């Protein structure tokens, strides 16, 4: 392992349960937190992006999902329920 004299310190807060769970996984694959974070940051640097998809899911309205004319012709359908 190469030890570099000039290292920047990164302090962050993380959910304690997540830290423990991830620590156990990292132990299984032989990595520590510092190495894992360095791998992650290098991946971002080389790919110039977060290496997984991030999105905000939102519910669509009926008009967005089916189109604004979705209700046209409904009055012509037979009522099978009633």
């Amino acid at each position: 392992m190469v030890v570099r004299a000039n290292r920047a310190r990164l302090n962050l807060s993380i959910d304690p349960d997540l830290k423990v769970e991830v620590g156990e996984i990292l132990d299984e694959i032989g990595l520590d937190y510092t190495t894992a974070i360095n791998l992650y940051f290098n991946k971002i640097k080389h790919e110039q992006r977060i290496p997984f998809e991030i999105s905000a899911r939102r519910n669509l309205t009926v008009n967005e999902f089916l189109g604004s004319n979705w209700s046209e012709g409904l009055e012509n359908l037979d009522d099978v329920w009633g």
Side-chain angles (χ1 to χ4, degrees):
M1 175 185 279
V2 176
V3 177
R4 297 181 182 145
N6 288 335
R7 302 293 285 187
R9 180 163 295 278
L10 177 65
N11 294 315
L12 56 103
S13 297
I14 189 166
D15 177 274
D17 293 333
L18 178 61
K19 180 184 176 194
V20 169
E21 291 173 22
V22 169
E24 291 170 356
I25 295 167
L26 291 174
D27 283 344
E28 287 181 27
I29 58 178
L31 296 175
D32 58 20
Y33 294 108
T34 300
T35 304
I37 294 296
N38 278 301
L39 288 168
Y40 176 63
F41 277 31
N42 275 302
K43 184 88 167 167
I44 293 170
K45 177 182 157 188
H46 292 294
E47 292 187 11
Q48 297 291 300
R49 66 180 190 86
I50 300 293
F52 49 84
E53 184 178 333
I54 299 174
S55 64
R57 183 183 169 123
R58 70 177 187 86
N59 293 324
L60 299 175
T61 66
V62 173
N63 286 348
E64 290 172 319
F65 189 73
L66 298 176
S68 60
N69 61 346
W70 67 270
S71 61
E72 290 178 11
L74 287 180
E75 67 278 354
N76 297 328
L77 295 176
D78 291 330
D79 184 4
V80 296
W81 300 101

